Structures are given as C-alpha cells and as structure tokens.
Amino acid sequence: MAVASISVNESPLVLYALRRADDALILGHRLSEWCGHAPMMEEDMALANMGLDLIGQARELYSYAGKVEGAGNDEDRLAYLRDVRQYRNLLLVEQPNGDFARTIIRQFLYSAFADLYWREMMTSPDATLAAIAAKSEKESAYHLRHSSEWVIRLGDGTAESHRRAQEALDDLWAFTGELFHADDSDRSLIADGVVIDPERLRSAWSATINNVVQTATLTLPARDWMQKGGRTGHHSEHLGHLLSELQSLQRSFPGATW
C-alpha cells in the first residue's frame, strides 16, 4: 500500500536545514549510483564513501529540521515522504551522472562551495548547525581535494579526457549560480547572524575554481546566464526519476527497516 506524502511547516530555520539536507541526500544518492561501476576499484570505494559522507550530513540536517519543526517528522519521513516539489536541493546536484568526467566536474563545483560554506558555518551561534558544519567541513575538504585532483588529471590528460571534462564544465556551469541563492527566508536568518550569506563566498569560490580549471588546461564558459529554481521546488525532470527509485521502498512498505 502506497503511503501519502507529508506536509512540512517550513519556518526559515526548517527550510534552511531542508535545503542543505536535500543537497546532501540527492548528491549522495547520485554518487551511490556509481557503486560497482567506477573506472577502478579504488575510485569505486572513494565515490561510495563520499556518498556516505553526504548521506550522513543529510541525516543530521533532516533530524534537526524535524526537531525544530516539532511535528513528528523524523529524518526518514523528511527524506522519503515528500513530493518532488517539496525538495529544495540545488539543480546542480540532481543532474545525472553521465560519464566519469561529468560526475567529477559536478562534485568539484559543489565541493568547492560546500567546503567554504561549512567552514564559515562552524562559527554559527546555533550549536547544532555549528556541530554539523564542523563535521561536514572535514568531509567536504576531502571531497574537494579528491575531485580537484581528478579535474586536473582529466583536463590535462588525453585529448579524450580533456574533451569530456570540458563538455561537462560547459554543460554544468549554468547550474552554479544557484549556489549563492538567498531569498527572504534565508535573509531573515542571515540578518540574525544564525547562518552566513552565501554571496560572500563567491570570490573565494571563483578563485578556487579558476586555479584548478587553469591547471587542468580547461576553459571556464564565458556566458553568465544561470539556471535557477531548485531552492523553490522547481526541478528538472531528473529529480522525479531519482525520487521514484529513492523512495520506492518506503512508499511501498511504510516504516520498513533493515
């Protein structure tokens, strides 16, 4: 018997936690799709471990969102029983894996931001968010280092690896503007000093991206038009397919546990 979707009272703090949790869950699920398919055993384990790191971050953020909301929604209900329009993740993280170069470029663009973001959030006066940030930053630092090394290896590798990495960068670049999104809900928390304004990370993020891309002999796209919508629940067709797989067990067998 299929189970109905839940509703969530999205106060600014709940919405903030859900947005970051959804980023981590969806990207973690995408990385898990590589399990058994990576180009080498060591990389298979690396991608799986990074996926587990992200899913761990998602669990902590969902748990916090449920606690703040106080309506009985735990991490499982928030992860598995919301409809696609209720997900607030970045459009970047829901993009399909494609080939290995595309997966690495997506991870690099996200991790370069996440590492900066969680490092700054470690000083949040919200003790729970600060603790989540402290753990997440260590993981994000590794994700950034790992993906950066691969971007350089692919871009400065063979003609074929360079072509695929450049195509991935050209295609995914339009999804990076949303990393710096902040709406009225976020701005209320920013004004209270609870969370940081992502816009202030743009310069440092751009410096990291430029340095690695130049070392990799790749070229950043010249266009500045950016996709948006994920933070407000307007997603690409890819997320619906992902959620149908992610949620199938919990939707079909409510409350099932391993």
Side-chain angles (χ1 to χ4, degrees):
M1 179 182 71
V3 65
S5 298
I6 63 172
S7 61
V8 180
N9 179 16
E10 294 181 336
S11 67
L13 188 53
V14 170
L15 182 55
Y16 169 84
L18 288 177
R19 284 170 168 168
R20 270 66 196 180
D22 291 343
D23 288 347
L25 178 69
I26 300 304
L27 186 55
H29 184 80
R30 281 295 188 215
L31 291 179
S32 77
E33 293 172 345
W34 274 100
C35 191
H37 300 281
M40 62 187 74
M41 186 178 295
E42 186 178 40
E43 191 58 25
D44 202 293
M45 295 175 66
L47 292 175
N49 280 326
M50 289 195 292
L52 286 173
D53 288 342
L54 290 163
I55 291 170
Q57 294 172 19
R59 291 187 62 188
E60 293 177 349
L61 288 159
Y62 283 136
S63 294
Y64 187 49
K67 180 180 178 182
V68 173
E69 186 197 16
N73 289 320
D74 59 13
E75 61 182 74
D76 289 327
R77 288 173 59 83
L78 291 171
Y80 295 124
L81 299 182
R82 286 181 296 147
D83 287 333
V84 63
R85 291 292 296 273
Q86 293 176 286
Y87 275 75
R88 310 297 186 178
N89 58 274
L90 300 163
L91 295 175
L92 174 67
V93 301
E94 69 191 49
Q95 298 308 303
N97 287 333
D99 59 23
F100 183 65
R102 184 180 172 90
T103 291
I104 289 297
I105 292 290
R106 184 188 61 201
Q107 190 66 43
F108 167 61
L109 295 171
Y110 175 81
S111 298
F113 175 83
D115 184 47
L116 291 168
Y117 192 84
W118 289 125
R119 195 183 309 162
E120 291 290 322
M121 279 296 295
M122 290 166 60
T123 61
S124 171
D126 184 308
T128 301
L129 291 179
I132 293 173
K135 178 177 178 294
S136 300
E137 192 279 330
K138 294 176 183 175
E139 296 165 344
S140 297
Y142 166 72
H143 300 174
L144 175 59
R145 183 169 65 252
H146 184 84
S147 58
S148 296
E149 290 171 352
W150 266 113
V151 170
I152 294 171
R153 197 178 305 175
L154 293 171
D156 197 25
T158 67
E160 181 66 10
S161 69
H162 179 93
R163 180 186 68 79
R164 293 190 183 212
Q166 185 64 60
E167 286 183 357
L169 184 59
D170 292 343
D171 186 40
L172 295 171
W173 184 249
F175 297 102
T176 59
E178 205 173 30
L179 290 166
F180 307 97
H181 170 93
D183 58 10
D184 289 343
S185 177
D186 288 336
R187 280 189 281 272
S188 68
L189 296 174
I190 294 169
D192 292 339
V194 177
V195 303
I196 67 160
D197 184 349
E199 184 60 39
R200 81 185 205 198
L201 304 178
R202 187 186 292 272
S203 177
W205 178 83
S206 296
T208 299
I209 297 296
N210 277 312
N211 180 52
V212 173
V213 166
Q214 287 179 12
T215 304
T217 72
L218 299 171
T219 304
L220 286 179
R223 66 181 186 279
D224 56 6
W225 180 83
M226 292 289 166
Q227 296 271 5
K228 60 182 180 180
R231 289 298 194 219
T232 54
H234 296 84
H235 295 281
S236 66
E237 71 275 17
H238 306 301
L239 185 62
H241 295 295
L242 184 154
L243 291 179
S244 68
E245 178 181 351
L246 178 73
Q247 297 183 341
S248 61
L249 180 63
Q250 193 63 228
R251 293 279 191 178
S252 301
F253 303 96
T257 59
W258 291 106

